[in-house]
Amino acid sequence: MPLQAGLLEILACPACHSALEERDSELICTGQDCGLAYPVRDGIPVLLVDEARRPE
């Protein structure tokens, strides 16, 4: 389910403050050294570092 228009423009990675991009049901950090994947549950981004998945 796509996020509300304009929401990605104001959201940033809590770990490194880089921009996020939406892929499937996750928000992926675009930072070169970070790359954390944050889940989106029921259309709500869960931007908690403890809930993020490390890149594989």
Side-chain angles (χ1 to χ4, degrees):
M1 177 168 139
L3 293 177
Q4 197 172 28
L7 187 58
L8 280 178
E9 294 175 15
I10 61 172
L11 292 179
C13 174
C16 71
H17 308 291
S18 294
L20 297 169
E21 88 179 17
E22 189 173 12
R23 285 191 218 151
D24 300 321
S25 61
E26 294 182 316
L27 294 179
I28 310 295
C29 176
T30 59
Q32 289 181 346
D33 297 329
C34 187
L36 290 174
Y38 298 94
V40 177
R41 296 186 186 128
D42 297 322
I44 301 169
V46 181
L47 297 177
L48 300 171
V49 176
D50 292 342
E51 293 283 325
R53 176 177 66 78
R54 292 274 172 204
E56 297 172 354

